[in-house]
Amino acid sequence: VQLQASGGGLVQPGGSLRLSCSASGFTRPNRQIAWFRQAPGKEREAILCTGSGDPSTYYSDSVKGRFTVSTDTNTVYVQMNNLKPEDTATYYCATDLDRGCNRHTWSFRRYYRYWGQGTLVTVSS
């Protein structure tokens, strides 16, 4: 199982970026992928989880309405709009190979066994 996060960079406040998480080593459709982020000196924070089920995606309050997830066969994308300085962090994708996102555990870091290497997003003028 391998996850490859990419798409980070430097963007001005109010700008947009699209992150990608490419999955290999398992059949991605219908397997959940979660995104976390970690700012310097802070705990790793869950921002979304997408998978099969209803609802298919959970968003944290900190990104709801600004971040949108989309998927294709082996890649999960996060479109990040209206970025703020507080969105500055290293972003990671993760999976536990379950089909859906559990409403009670999706935001818990310890739930996920497999992690990508992270991609840095810096929001600054």
Side-chain angles (χ1 to χ4, degrees):
V1 175
Q2 287 192 327
L3 300 173
Q4 178 85 23
S6 61
L10 174 64
V11 63
Q12 292 187 341
S16 299
L17 278 176
R18 189 175 80 157
L19 304 183
S20 302
C21 177
S22 298
S24 61
F26 65 101
T27 303
R28 215 300 298 169
N30 298 324
R31 303 289 179 179
Q32 111 270 76
I33 293 287
W35 282 90
F36 286 70
R37 66 185 181 186
Q38 188 165 17
K42 294 191 175 181
E43 294 290 319
R44 194 167 294 189
E45 170 196 17
I47 59 171
L48 69 90
C49 181
T50 189
S52 62
D54 183 19
S56 61
T57 304
Y58 293 90
Y59 293 93
S60 68
D61 289 343
S62 60
V63 305
K64 193 177 298 182
R66 301 187 298 122
F67 290 14
T68 304
V69 71
S70 62
T71 67
D72 65 20
T73 302
N74 290 313
T75 304
V76 173
Y77 304 96
V78 181
Q79 179 65 41
M80 307 188 298
N81 296 328
N82 189 22
L83 283 162
K84 305 174 182 180
E86 52 263 43
D87 294 317
T88 295
T90 298
Y91 285 71
Y92 301 88
C93 54
T95 185
D96 198 53
L97 299 182
D98 284 350
R99 291 191 177 278
C101 303
N102 184 291
R103 68 174 62 193
H104 302 294
T105 62
W106 75 267
S107 62
F108 295 164
R109 176 181 178 176
R110 64 180 182 270
Y111 174 71
Y112 298 94
R113 286 178 287 167
Y114 305 101
W115 292 81
Q117 85 290 357
T119 184
L120 178 62
V121 173
T122 303
V123 184
S124 175
S125 56

